[in-house]
Amino acid sequence: MRRVACLALLLPCLHALPAQAEVKLLLAETIRTGDAAQPVAGAMAWDSDSGRVLQLGSAEALRKAYPQAAALDLGKVTVVPGLIDAHAHIMGLGNTLAQADLTGARNRAEVVARLQAFEKTLAPGEWLLGRGWDQNRWDNTDFPTVADLDAAFPQRPVYLERVDGHAGWVNSAALRVAEKAGKSLSGDWQPEGGRILRDAAGKPSGVLVDGAASLVYAHIPELDDASREKRLQAALQEAVSNGLTGVHDMGVPREDLALMKRLADQGKLPLRIDAYADGNNAALDDLCKTGLYAHPGGRLQMRGVKLYMDGALGSRGAALLTAYSDDPHNHGLLMTSPEEFEVAVRKADGCKVQVATHAIGDRGNRIVLDTYEKVLGSHKDTDHRWRIEHSQVVALEDIPRFAKLGVIASMQPTHATSDMGWAEQRVGPERILGAYAWQRFLHSGARLALGSDFPVEQVDPRLGLYAAVTRQDRDGQPPGGWQPEQRLSAAEALRGFTSDAAWAGHDEAEVGKLVAGLRADFVVLDRDPLTIAADQLDDLKVLSTWVDGEPVYKAGEASGS
């Protein structure tokens, strides 16, 4: 506690250094650099104007090298390179923070109770929105229905996003709004890339999977600019308070990029955002027309596009080569046809835009790999760094293709520990061997980039480190970890959230390590993630988060600087 108190006193002093100060010096018991040539240091110096690292070494050596620099001695703490979430949704997090939180609800009744409490904050006629329900965690794992909501909310429209973001649960009032504005949702027809679950009479039962969800979601009133900015800022603060200095934001439309640009112009982006355009839409058109985007402040860029192939495993929308083991007539969904997908990939390739594609099921992953191989052709050996987001259930024979094609497996450790209770039921004992298979990818020579997919999972990267190293839930179950041979070492996990994530975004010349010339993005932790017991990784304390050598979050303070 004394060290934290000292930190709280010293940080404001450093932040208030006079403008003419050119060098800042930080001393700590352990600085993990991520650099194989100098993995550990006791001191770091950086230029206060550029925010770039000048030198690392011992405290004695750097005090001598920079005698005029004011030294900030943090004592018995550990400094690591800034943590980067390689797959997340910033505006999704901002929206989730403003809605009813249904995460962890144990049954339908608990969902309704949480919604009733949240409804008290709403104006008459306002939609009741929530996120995080997961029927796989309930005693009755069947999908919920309109009847579960109608008794409590007969008039107010309700739209509840499933935890994976690939299904919506609605009440009758919401269905009435949608049907009044467009086509009836009853019958036996299905929308492209989606599924309306219906009862025996052909009426919608209340759950809309993947592309079907938009039939209702499209009628939720849009937010004004001020509300959107407020939500974005809340999400950004939540991210830096958990030690994130960078995020690969997947699926950013033109209007959200404009909002981020506005904050960047005002110096209000506390972390770096690598924005990936939202499919073959306006933002990708802009990249093709005007070139890859980079804000001059160095904290915002868009150089890639995020495409969709299939749905998610939890809602049985992931596209599988053979039917679901627990739903033998269901092979999942393709959200994009292979033909349309190839058109989008070729367009991005022609515009020199990095391609990142959501693929969960083994069929979805195979289609993406086949298309990448076809489009890349003779230039597959170039430094394209195309990605598959999630790479979640992959046929064993397809895993070596990632390294062969130079494709990055962008994976989320907490997905494995969230899904481990039911994943094998979905795909059976043979296919599960290619699921969440981190070590199999590494051994094949593929590059991993780690993230959370927040708000699908929590924003906290410490939970990702813990899941990667233990493959257990936070109660330590199952003993020894689920499929323990796929666990990562602490060093591999940390690298996945730092230098490997930076490499996946073409950012290795800027961030990912603490070495001379790179930006001084780092996190101060109370303990060393590479030496503590694995079951303590989720309990690490973030004491402060720094970007460009300035603190953007300090423990105990209401907001960052």
Side-chain angles (χ1 to χ4, degrees):
M1 295 297 293
R2 185 177 180 183
R3 291 292 181 193
V4 176
C6 291
L7 179 68
L9 290 172
L10 287 168
L11 281 174
C13 297
L14 176 59
H15 192 53
L17 284 172
Q20 64 266 29
E22 296 182 352
V23 177
K24 295 181 180 180
L25 182 61
L26 179 146
L27 313 177
E29 181 177 64
T30 304
I31 300 176
R32 295 282 181 186
T33 67
D35 179 17
Q38 186 184 21
V40 181
M44 176 173 61
W46 66 90
D47 178 86
S48 63
D49 292 328
S50 68
R52 293 186 180 271
V53 176
L54 296 171
Q55 187 177 348
L56 291 107
S58 68
E60 180 181 9
L62 265 64
R63 284 185 185 274
K64 288 182 179 179
Y66 304 100
Q68 302 303 315
L72 173 62
D73 188 348
L74 301 184
K76 292 184 177 181
V77 301
T78 295
V79 175
V80 299
L83 299 173
I84 302 167
D85 192 314
H87 183 112
H89 308 279
I90 287 284
M91 283 303 301
L93 176 61
N95 291 333
T96 297
L97 293 172
Q99 297 173 3
D101 182 6
L102 309 179
T103 306
R106 294 162 292 183
N107 48 53
R108 294 164 172 78
E110 184 175 345
V111 169
V112 171
R114 293 192 193 186
L115 293 173
Q116 288 173 321
F118 187 82
E119 185 186 24
K120 296 175 182 177
T121 67
L122 302 179
E126 187 175 354
W127 282 64
L128 175 53
L129 306 176
R131 179 169 182 151
W133 63 273
D134 183 357
Q135 86 285 356
N136 293 315
R137 296 181 178 274
W138 302 344
D139 293 335
N140 179 355
T141 59
D142 293 339
F143 275 120
T145 69
V146 290
D148 297 313
L149 298 173
D150 284 352
F153 312 105
Q155 300 300 326
R156 186 187 296 275
V158 179
Y159 182 92
L160 309 176
E161 194 165 13
R162 193 180 181 278
V163 64
D164 58 11
H166 284 264
W169 173 19
V170 301
N171 68 344
S172 295
L175 289 172
R176 287 195 295 270
V177 171
E179 293 192 333
K180 184 177 180 180
K183 182 177 180 180
S184 171
L185 276 65
S186 297
D188 58 3
W189 67 278
Q190 292 292 353
E192 184 177 356
R195 183 183 299 118
I196 302 170
L197 301 191
R198 296 188 175 96
D199 61 21
K203 294 182 178 180
S205 62
V207 171
L208 309 168
V209 180
D210 287 316
S214 64
L215 298 172
V216 171
Y217 190 83
H219 301 290
I220 299 173
E222 294 185 5
L223 295 172
D224 59 29
D225 287 345
S227 297
R228 290 174 60 247
E229 180 173 334
K230 181 179 179 180
R231 291 188 179 189
L232 175 57
Q233 289 181 323
L236 293 169
Q237 189 54 41
E238 186 75 8
V240 296
S241 70
N242 281 283
L244 290 175
T245 61
V247 169
H248 295 180
D249 194 0
M250 290 291 161
V252 177
R254 173 191 277 169
E255 57 270 22
D256 284 355
L257 182 64
L259 174 57
M260 294 171 184
K261 287 180 182 179
R262 190 158 67 243
L263 291 188
D265 289 342
Q266 298 168 0
K268 293 181 179 179
L269 278 186
L271 51 63
R272 304 188 196 284
I273 299 177
D274 280 19
Y276 285 70
D278 63 330
N280 191 4
N281 296 307
L284 177 59
D285 291 342
D286 292 344
L287 296 179
C288 290
K289 182 179 180 180
T290 62
L292 307 185
Y293 171 76
H295 189 273
R299 296 192 184 183
L300 177 64
Q301 60 188 15
M302 181 179 277
R303 300 183 297 187
V305 60
K306 190 271 186 85
L307 305 175
Y308 268 101
M309 177 46 60
D310 62 353
L313 196 65
S315 49
R316 295 188 183 87
L320 300 182
L321 294 168
T322 57
Y324 278 82
S325 298
D326 60 355
D327 191 1
H329 301 292
N330 183 7
H331 285 71
L333 293 167
L334 292 181
M335 296 182 67
T336 308
S337 72
E339 296 76 19
E340 291 173 328
F341 178 66
E342 183 178 334
V343 167
V345 173
R346 288 194 181 279
K347 177 178 177 178
D349 183 45
C351 300
K352 308 302 180 186
V353 173
Q354 182 190 23
V355 181
T357 305
H358 164 113
I360 298 286
D362 52 9
R363 184 185 178 212
N365 276 277
R366 181 168 292 178
I367 292 172
V368 175
L369 289 168
D370 288 348
T371 306
Y372 282 4
E373 185 170 17
K374 182 178 180 181
V375 173
L376 286 170
S378 60
H379 66 283
K380 67 179 175 58
D381 295 327
T382 60
D383 191 24
H384 55 82
R385 304 189 200 182
W386 288 6
R387 307 162 49 148
I388 295 184
E389 304 304 311
H390 311 307
S391 309
Q392 196 162 300
V393 181
V394 181
L396 291 175
E397 61 268 31
D398 283 338
I399 290 177
R401 299 179 66 192
F402 281 73
K404 182 179 178 181
L405 293 172
V407 173
I408 298 163
S410 172
M411 306 179 82
Q412 299 75 44
T414 45
H415 280 347
T417 52
S418 291
D419 299 355
M420 63 187 177
W422 49 262
E424 188 168 341
Q425 298 173 22
R426 290 282 193 275
V427 300
E430 294 182 8
R431 283 183 291 190
I432 202 67
L433 297 177
Y436 319 89
W438 310 323
Q439 285 295 347
R440 287 191 177 89
F441 277 101
L442 287 181
H443 290 160
S444 75
R447 297 287 290 261
L448 294 186
L450 300 183
S452 68
D453 199 13
F454 71 71
V456 173
E457 303 284 353
Q458 293 186 51
V459 66
D460 190 345
R462 292 164 292 184
L463 301 181
L465 295 173
Y466 172 85
V469 177
T470 68
R471 290 179 75 99
Q472 296 175 319
D473 64 24
R474 297 187 75 184
D475 294 324
Q477 298 298 319
W482 180 59
Q483 297 183 335
E485 71 280 359
Q486 298 306 311
R487 292 178 301 188
L488 299 179
S489 69
E492 289 168 337
L494 183 61
R495 191 176 72 221
F497 279 100
T498 54
S499 59
D500 285 350
W503 191 86
H506 291 276
D507 297 325
E508 71 276 12
E510 295 290 317
V511 294
K513 299 179 181 180
L514 295 174
V515 297
L518 269 62
R519 295 184 181 273
D521 291 6
F522 58 92
V523 183
V524 180
L525 302 171
D526 66 330
R527 285 161 289 162
D528 187 346
L530 301 193
T531 62
I532 62 172
D535 62 5
Q536 296 179 31
L537 286 167
D538 60 334
D539 194 40
L540 286 166
K541 301 296 188 294
V542 174
L543 303 179
S544 56
T545 305
W546 300 63
V547 176
D548 287 324
E550 296 291 341
V552 295
Y553 166 76
K554 309 169 195 174
E557 293 195 359
S559 63
S561 58

